[in-house]
Structures are given as structure tokens and as C-alpha cells.
Amino acid sequence: MKIKKICCIGAGYVGGPTMAVIAKKCPEIQVTVVDLNEARIAAWNDTDVNNIPVYEPGLGDIVAEARGRNLFFSTQVDEAIQEADMVFISVNTPTKTYGEGKGQAADLKWIELCARQIARVSTSDKIIVEKSTLPVRTASTLKDILSHTGNNINFQILSNPEFLAEGTAVEDLLSPDRVLIGGDPSPKGQAAVEALVEIYSTWVPTERILTTNLWSSELSKLTANAFLAQRVSSINAISEICEVTEADVIEVSRAIGSDSRVGPKFLKASVGFGGSCFQKDILNLVYIARTYGLNEVANYWEQVIIMNDHQKRRFAKKVISSLYNTVSGKKIAFLGWAFKKDTNDTRESAAIYVADHLLNENAELSVFDPKVTAQQVYTDLDYLGTRESSKNTSLVTVTEDPYETCKDSHAVAVLTEWDEFNNYDWQKIYDNMLKPAYIFDGRDILETEKLKAIGFRVYTIGKTQTL
Ligand code: UDX
Ligand code: UDX
């Protein structure tokens, strides 16, 4: 079966870039990305590609090339579904905030709504592709809803999880380590798998396209994120040991990463992992394990989250204890708010939780991030619901100038590893700060010796300090 028209429901961080790359690589396929959010679609359609809603290096050029040719962004959801041979579901699946499984299970409300909408409007056979990360066996829910339409339409469900990382989305999509496609073993199921394989094989070498059954594919996505997050929590656990033993976590990472069985990636100690996926997917895994009565398995994976929460808290505590056990009324400058560099995404960013902890101690924060807006910073803090919104506004300022952010502060905390932080005029920053001037480098990116020579007292994650 040759796919001519694709519809993708959800124009977010995953749906937008993924569809843009498919459209670029397959100019003969018409790709329409739909979303309920009108403002978001309008932003994707902005004539100036610098204003598209997702910041990813290289994405603007791809959108500029394909948009209007075979890539479209629209709010006409029913129409786009109806016309498509293949429908990707790429809507968000946040952790449930209510009822059974609250705080752990994935909220599948949007997925179910999509399935019902597809069932309602379809008049021809379709392949439905799960792009959103979902609990294992969600495909059977989709199938159940879609097979009860009574209109004799054949729906094949595929699982095709996305492994792109934000900030490198375009690169990851153009040359992925692997593409994973799970499908039903029946002949119709396998034909659907082949249709999707054909699309990807336009630019991905076939040996990198893995096909599995549906359940392996769904579980592999959760497992991949759980393993990655586990590596970060593991090295962060070691970073705390380093700080009391005069070992240096960078040296330890290099030493263990040189073992080809371990490998060098994802061994960078940090103030804690963030992002929309790691915590959500591990909680999901934990919830599934508990549902099946696998308590030891659940506890094992839950520890990755517990360690991550500990890392964020202990960073905040380090700031407080270093500043003579009180930060009340003291200005602390935050460099970085995004959950990692090269993205404007702040979901679950460690910075939010460190800020919350310091605000509980009445600190005054000044935030600078090259890509995050003031509005987003306040939204993130308000979302926690720890204090009145007016209190967040009065205690936190957001500036567009890092020197202004650091001026008159007692301490600078580095929360995101933006490259530009290293190129600042640190002498100038030092001159304008209160003394003693502290730096808390939660990403180990600054040149410690240079800063110490200027006069800073420097704490770096994973290194023993004499502050
Ligand atoms: C989402 C999921 O969170 C993640 O688990 C999955 O792996 C990929 O899809 P992301 O693209 O980052 O990740 O989410 P987000 O940026 O929130 O985009 C989802 C979009 O879907 C939003 O723009 C939202 O408006 C839209 N949506 C949601 C719909 O169009 N219809 C719905 O019914 C629900
Ligand atoms: C992740 C997965 O990498 C990707 O495959 C999946 O599709 C979605 O989830 P993402 O959340 O975009 O991608 O970013 P990632 O680069 O994995 O970083 C996640 C968090 O871990 C960030 O906060 C990052 O700063 C942190 N991290 C990562 C570390 O603290 N140390 C590391 O060594 C690596």
C-alpha cells in the first residue's frame, strides 16, 4: 500500500518536527498537521519561520522548504483525518492529576478522544500510528474503539515511538540510530508495517528500521527512557559521593565511559534531569509494574525518580547552607531555565524545583535564559501551586540581559548548560556582585579555576569544594 496522504494529530514538540522531516524527505506525500490549539497552528503558519512554536536548530529551514508544498498546518481536524491514508497520533499524554493512578499513570483522555474522532469521521481504511508514548497495550484500547464503528472500515494500528531528543530533533530525525515499528502479525498488520517502513526507508537505511510486535514496541519506548534516566540518576548518585571524597565526577565518568560495555554518553552529572518524558515514562512503568503486582520492579524504577528529586533538593540546600543558612531577602541569579540547552522547553526543568525551594526560603530570584520567556517562568512556578501567583511575581524577576540578572546578587546558579554562559565577562559579573560572590555550577560547564582566580567562591556539582 502506497501512502499518499498523512494526517498528524498534535502539532507539538514531537508532531511538528517529525512531520516536517517526513514532508521534506517524501515530497510526493501530502502531510497535514492538525491541532486543537488555534494559536499554535497560527504560529506554525507564521510567514517568518523564526516564529514557529518549537525552537529546534535547522527546523525553520525545513518548514520553509516544505510548507505550502506538501506540508500543511491546520485546525480542520475532521477533514484532514478523513482524507488521510495514515493518521499519526502525537497528542500529549501527561501524568494523571486526578483519580486512580493520580501522579503516576498516563492520562489517556486525549488519546481516546482522538480514537473516537477518527472512528466518527472516517469513510475509508486507515493506518493509525501511535507516536505519543503510551502505556503498554494502549493499542488494544485504540483497536477496540476503532473496531466498534459498525461501518466496516479496516483500521490497522501501529506503534512507532519517537526517540528524538529536544535540541537535536532535526539531526535525530534525519539520521536516527533506529526507527521502531510495532504491528500486528496478521497479513493486514504486516502490510501496514511495510507501508510505514517504505516511508522511512526513503532516508533511513533499512537495517536501522526495526520491526516488532505492538507490545514490544510500546514497552521499548518506556524502557529506553527509563534506562537513559537511570544513567543520569546513577551518575548523580556518584556525584554526591565525589563531593565528599575528593573524587571528580568528570574523571569518574570518563573512566567508566571508556569501557565499551558502558559507553561514554549520558554520564554527565547535573542538577537533575527534566523534560516532558523521563519522569512521566518512568512513573508510567512503575504504575504498570504495580498494576501487575510486580512491586520489586516498581520500587526499583521508582528509585530513579527519588534520586532525581534528591539531586534537585540538595543543590538548593547547598546554596542555602553556603550563604550562611539564610537566603531570605538575598538576590540569587539563575542562569538557565530550560530543561537543557538549545531548547525553549521548560517542562519538568530542574530549575523550577530549585527555584521553588529557594522561594520557600524567601529568596529573591532573577532569571535569565536565552530562549525562555518571562511569561513561561511565571507559568511554571504558578503551576506548582506552592504559593500565590502574586508572590511569585514579586519575588522573581526575569531579564533579557544576563549581566543585569547577576548584578547585586549574592550568588549565581547555573541551571542549564547553555554554551554562551562560558563566554560571559565573568570579571564584570564579579565586580557587580555582593561579596563574597558565589557561583553554583549545577552543570559543571564553567571554567572553575579562572573563576576562582577572579575571586569567586565556586561550587560545582560532583567536585569537592572548599567554599
Ligand atoms: C507528546 C507526548 O507528550 C509524548 O508522550 C509523546 O511521546 C509525543 O507527543 P509533545 O509533542 O512534546 O509530546 O507534546 P505537546 O508539545 O504538548 O503537543 C501535543 C499537542 O497535541 C498540543 O499542541 C495539543 O494542543 C494537541 N492536542 C492535544 C490535540 O490537538 N488534540 C487533543 O485532543 C489533545
Ligand atoms: C529524551 C530521550 O533522550 C529521547 O530519546 C526521547 O524521545 C525523549 O526523552 P529529551 O527529554 O528531549 O529526550 O532530552 P535528553 O537529552 O534525553 O535529556 C533529558 C534530561 O536529562 C535533560 O534535563 C538533560 O539535561 C539531562 N541529562 C542528560 C543529564 O543530566 N545528564 C546527561 O548525561 C544527559
Side-chain angles (χ1 to χ4, degrees), residues 86-342:
M86 184 176 265
V87 181
F88 284 79
I89 303 183
S90 192
V91 298
N92 38 336
T93 49
T95 305
K96 271 185 88 174
T97 52
Y98 56 90
E100 192 74 23
K102 178 180 170 183
Q104 288 202 326
D107 192 341
L108 297 182
K109 189 169 70 179
W110 304 120
I111 296 286
E112 184 172 339
L113 280 175
C114 283
R116 291 192 183 278
Q117 190 169 16
I118 295 169
R120 183 166 46 78
V121 305
S122 294
T123 49
S124 58
D125 292 353
K126 294 189 196 314
I127 298 172
I128 311 300
V129 187
E130 298 174 347
K131 201 53 161 160
S132 304
T133 306
L134 298 166
V136 187
R137 302 203 71 85
T138 304
S140 67
T141 308
L142 287 180
K143 196 157 190 66
D144 211 36
I145 294 169
L146 292 169
S147 60
H148 281 86
T149 54
N151 53 8
N152 276 332
I153 291 176
N154 174 36
F155 290 104
Q156 284 301 321
I157 320 281
L158 300 179
S159 159
N160 172 221
E162 189 44 67
F163 295 104
L164 68 81
E166 287 175 30
T168 52
V170 170
E171 209 178 302
D172 295 344
L173 286 163
L174 289 174
S175 45
D177 284 352
R178 81 311 207 175
V179 167
L180 180 59
I181 303 173
D184 198 79
S186 65
K188 279 187 176 162
Q190 288 306 299
V193 170
E194 274 317 306
L196 189 52
V197 168
E198 201 181 315
I199 293 175
Y200 281 111
S201 58
T202 317
W203 77 96
V204 180
T206 37
E207 65 276 12
R208 291 202 188 169
I209 304 178
L210 314 181
T211 56
T212 66
N213 76 28
L214 274 167
W215 325 122
S216 304
S217 172
E218 288 180 337
L219 182 59
S220 297
K221 170 67 195 198
L222 295 184
T223 309
N225 275 345
F227 268 58
L228 291 169
Q230 181 202 40
R231 276 174 78 97
V232 178
S233 274
S234 296
I235 200 67
N236 282 344
I238 298 300
S239 76
E240 195 171 5
I241 302 186
C242 288
E243 289 173 28
V244 291
T245 56
E246 291 187 38
D248 178 330
V249 76
I250 296 253
E251 292 179 352
V252 175
S253 291
R254 195 181 337 123
I256 62 168
S258 308
D259 184 328
S260 61
R261 293 168 301 176
V262 176
K265 294 183 183 166
F266 257 75
L267 287 177
K268 186 93 171 74
S270 67
V271 57
F273 61 73
S276 68
C277 289
F278 281 3
Q279 172 154 320
K280 170 172 73 84
D281 290 353
I282 293 179
L283 289 174
N284 221 318
L285 202 59
V286 168
Y287 184 73
I288 292 166
R290 283 215 208 291
T291 306
Y292 286 103
L294 312 176
N295 287 323
E296 287 77 7
V297 177
N299 293 343
Y300 175 76
W301 286 107
E302 196 166 28
Q303 198 59 38
V304 174
I305 303 283
I306 293 171
M307 187 63 222
N308 195 48
D309 288 340
H310 169 68
Q311 189 77 349
K312 293 181 269 190
R313 211 175 316 113
R314 93 179 173 83
F315 184 80
K317 282 185 172 168
K318 186 76 195 176
V319 175
I320 298 164
S321 66
S322 305
L323 298 182
Y324 315 105
N325 286 315
T326 177
V327 289
S328 179
K330 291 182 180 168
K331 177 175 173 182
I332 297 170
F334 268 38
L335 291 182
W337 191 264
F339 81 99
K340 64 176 192 180
K341 72 173 179 177
D342 293 339

Side-chain angles (χ1 to χ4, degrees), residues 402-418:
Y403 296 98
E404 189 58 36
T405 293
C406 298
K407 192 166 182 279
D408 298 328
S409 66
H410 289 255
V412 173
V414 174
L415 279 304
T416 312
E417 72 282 25
W418 287 102

